[in-house]
Amino acid sequence: MTGVEPVAVDGGTAAALLAALRERGWTVATAESLTGGQVAARLVDVPGASRALRGGVVAYATDAKAEVLGVDATLLAAHGAVHPEVARQMAERVRPLLRADVGLSTTGVAGPEQQDGNSPGTVHVAVATPAGTVVRTLALTGDRAAIRTATCDAVLREALAAVSAAPAGEDPGTPGAATALWRS
């Protein structure tokens, strides 16, 4: 996905995601890097969010991704924090950490400088559900704030699509038991 335009911050996608989660009896947790807690904040802005939101981890520093979330340190050393596999591991590992059925993650470069050879706007988001994990690579444009906003919008839309695609009443199984489904 390239050139993603941020949508109005009206809570619509966050509210729809929380409703879909409640309908299935599922919970959600976030693992955020470049968004610094904005995804969790968008969810918290919706009245009644506590019925589905378990919590969030802001792992901004690379070593925090390994130490708190359990992202493979060898992967981080080889590729840095801006990598689709890092996003996948963040989303999958926040599930059991916070005992949630669904994990959302964001990692990337908001700018203004490059990071680990990645240009500003290089972003990876992931959604881990009982049905599997979807990783989306984005090439966003705009300033730092626009990139962070577009990242939040993208991960919430991806989460809504993933949760809505799951049959209502499906047993979530064991949090963290997702398999990898790659999309970009």
Side-chain angles (χ1 to χ4, degrees), residues 77-155:
H79 299 286
V82 183
H83 192 273
E85 177 65 13
V86 172
R88 182 187 67 78
Q89 289 187 20
M90 289 172 66
E92 289 179 355
R93 294 188 175 147
V94 77
R95 291 178 66 209
L97 182 67
L98 295 180
R99 292 179 292 149
D101 303 303
V102 177
L104 312 181
S105 73
T106 63
T107 189
V109 185
E113 286 101 28
Q114 289 190 350
Q115 179 182 338
D116 298 325
N118 295 290
S119 300
T122 303
V123 172
H124 306 286
V125 299
V127 178
T129 72
T133 300
V134 175
V135 177
R136 180 79 78 165
T137 297
L138 310 171
L140 303 174
T141 58
D143 64 12
R144 183 174 176 81
I147 289 169
R148 293 176 73 220
T149 297
T151 300
C152 289
D153 294 341
V155 77

Side-chain angles (χ1 to χ4, degrees), residues 8 16 18-20 42 46 48 62 64 74 78 86 106 122 125 133-134 164 170 184:
L18 289 167
R42 290 256 194 110
V46 178
T62 300
T74 305
V86 172
T106 63
T122 303
V125 299
T133 300
V134 175
S164 295
E170 181 177 305
S184 60

Side-chain angles (χ1 to χ4, degrees), residues 31-52:
E32 301 181 61
S33 186
L34 86 148
T35 51
Q38 286 183 354
V39 176
R42 290 256 194 110
L43 294 168
V44 168
D45 282 344
V46 178
S50 62
R51 291 186 299 232

Side-chain angles (χ1 to χ4, degrees), residues 12-30:
T13 306
L17 172 59
L18 289 167
L21 288 162
R22 285 191 305 266
E23 184 176 303
R24 283 153 186 77
W26 290 359
T27 57
V28 65
T30 64

